[in-house]
Amino acid sequence: MRRLSGFAGLVVCVLLAGCAPPRPDHPVIGAKNFTEQVLLGELLAQEIEAKSNLKVDRRFYLAGSFICQQALISGHIDAYVEYTGTALTAILKQHVDRDPKRVLDTVRRLYAARYGVTVAEPLGFENTFAMVIRGDDARQLHLTTMSQTAQYTPQWRLGVGYEFEQRPDGLPGLSAAYGFKFATPPRTMDLGLLYRALNAHQVDMIAANSTDGPIQAFGLTALEDDRHYFPPYQAVPLVRDDALARWPQIRTALDALAGKITADDMRTMNEAIDSQHRDPAEVVREFRKQKQL
């Protein structure tokens, strides 16, 4: 749910467009440039290696959805995990739809038709956007929902990630749905800095992700989307059809992962990386052992 800013994004695009895609003898798994994505990429890689004799190449920290999409369709990577709402609106440029099954069906149909990409079964959790405020503010003002906050936002400062400010399921539509107006233009920054800014009282609300570990760790409050603005964001592996044909073992691994991850599982793993500074590969190995994968 992130994008690469300015010059860095242009450099990556040029590199992807200007180089012939590699054709290694093993699958290449990609991931965006935040903790959850690295964990999910590592999970795919470990599961494929466990269900086959294949070596898996890991290409993580590929910035946002656009860069991962370009890497996927150009053959620089064979698979990565995306979120259905992001795929629907940011990549496929479809209207926002709030029905999870319909969104998944639309995403599957269009990825197959346009890109020769299979959308595998959901991993079991949803990572939606979450508007987060300090726990003390929530208790003092008795706030639990986004609609309750509209009366306070004219005095608040907002912090958002780079992608959220412009994307069709992001800030413009959210502000219209809830009547949000803020004291200053939103401050854009990397996800990790959003929590630091909120705790330091540099901003008063942030657009974060529902599975972020710091929400629980810092005692913050994720406000309920009581007007159901955000579309569903089920985590789904995207895999090139030619990779599935070349390495059928990938499908076996994806089938084993279907429905295996809960939102609490994801928050726990994210927190292990972000707060405890553990190695993602070790965290994934423990998770797979726990789930008997």
Side-chain angles (χ1 to χ4, degrees):
M1 294 183 180
R2 318 288 183 274
R3 75 176 181 191
L4 200 65
S5 59
F7 177 74
L10 179 61
V11 169
V12 175
C13 290
V14 169
L15 289 175
L16 288 178
C19 302
R23 297 297 178 189
D25 294 328
H26 47 265
V28 181
I29 303 299
K32 305 182 203 182
N33 63 340
F34 59 100
T35 299
E36 178 167 300
Q37 278 281 301
V38 172
L39 284 164
L40 293 174
E42 182 63 28
L43 180 61
L44 291 190
Q46 285 192 23
E47 194 64 17
I48 293 168
E49 289 173 338
K51 296 290 190 294
S52 69
N53 59 356
L54 296 170
K55 172 186 178 295
V56 175
D57 189 8
R58 292 149 170 84
R59 295 189 186 172
F60 299 164
Y61 302 100
L62 291 177
S65 298
F66 175 74
I67 301 301
C68 282
Q69 168 70 1
Q70 294 303 309
L72 185 68
I73 64 176
S74 67
H76 283 75
I77 63 175
D78 295 299
Y80 81 101
V81 176
E82 190 52 272
Y83 307 92
T84 53
T86 301
L88 182 78
T89 60
I91 296 175
L92 297 171
K93 309 300 183 185
Q94 302 298 296
H95 294 298
V96 172
D97 188 340
R98 293 172 177 82
D99 181 89
K101 182 180 184 305
R102 196 163 55 225
V103 169
L104 180 58
D105 289 346
T106 299
V107 168
R108 277 190 165 138
R109 174 173 52 82
L110 293 180
Y111 267 91
R114 294 183 184 181
Y115 307 121
V117 167
T118 290
V119 179
E121 286 298 307
L123 295 174
F125 76 97
E126 182 178 351
N127 183 359
T128 185
F129 284 112
M131 305 308 293
V132 176
I133 62 177
R134 289 179 289 271
D136 288 344
D137 291 343
R139 288 185 289 273
Q140 181 180 350
L141 300 173
H142 306 288
L143 300 176
T144 59
T145 68
M146 284 197 269
S147 60
Q148 292 171 340
T149 65
Q151 62 181 309
Y152 299 104
T153 56
Q155 290 81 47
W156 286 1
R157 297 152 299 172
L158 176 68
V160 300
Y162 296 106
E163 225 174 70
F164 187 78
E165 187 177 14
Q166 300 295 332
R167 55 187 286 166
D169 54 345
L171 182 58
L174 180 72
S175 297
Y178 285 99
F180 287 164
K181 299 182 186 299
F182 292 92
T184 61
R187 294 184 58 182
T188 55
M189 61 191 83
D190 287 334
L191 178 63
L193 298 179
L194 287 173
Y195 288 104
R196 188 180 304 174
L198 183 63
N199 286 330
H201 291 254
Q202 296 170 349
V203 296
D204 305 292
M205 176 189 281
I206 60 173
N209 295 317
S210 60
T211 55
D212 289 343
I215 295 175
Q216 183 176 355
F218 295 141
L220 306 175
T221 295
L223 298 165
E224 179 190 348
D225 179 15
D226 52 314
R227 295 182 183 170
H228 307 289
Y229 167 73
F230 292 120
Y233 294 97
Q234 296 184 82
V236 290
L238 306 182
V239 193
R240 290 173 57 88
D241 290 345
D242 59 2
L244 287 173
R246 188 176 182 187
W247 301 295
Q249 305 97 315
I250 294 177
R251 189 178 295 276
T252 303
L254 297 180
D255 289 344
L257 291 174
K260 286 296 194 300
I261 311 175
T262 68
D264 282 340
D265 289 334
M266 204 67 247
R267 276 188 285 268
T268 298
M269 287 193 284
N270 285 334
E271 183 64 12
I273 307 304
D274 292 332
S275 294
Q276 302 169 29
H277 309 295
R278 297 181 59 196
D279 175 45
E282 177 188 352
V283 171
V284 168
R285 279 192 293 270
E286 288 185 3
F287 172 79
R288 293 182 58 254
K289 182 178 180 180
Q290 173 194 344
K291 297 289 182 175
Q292 299 181 331
L293 291 167

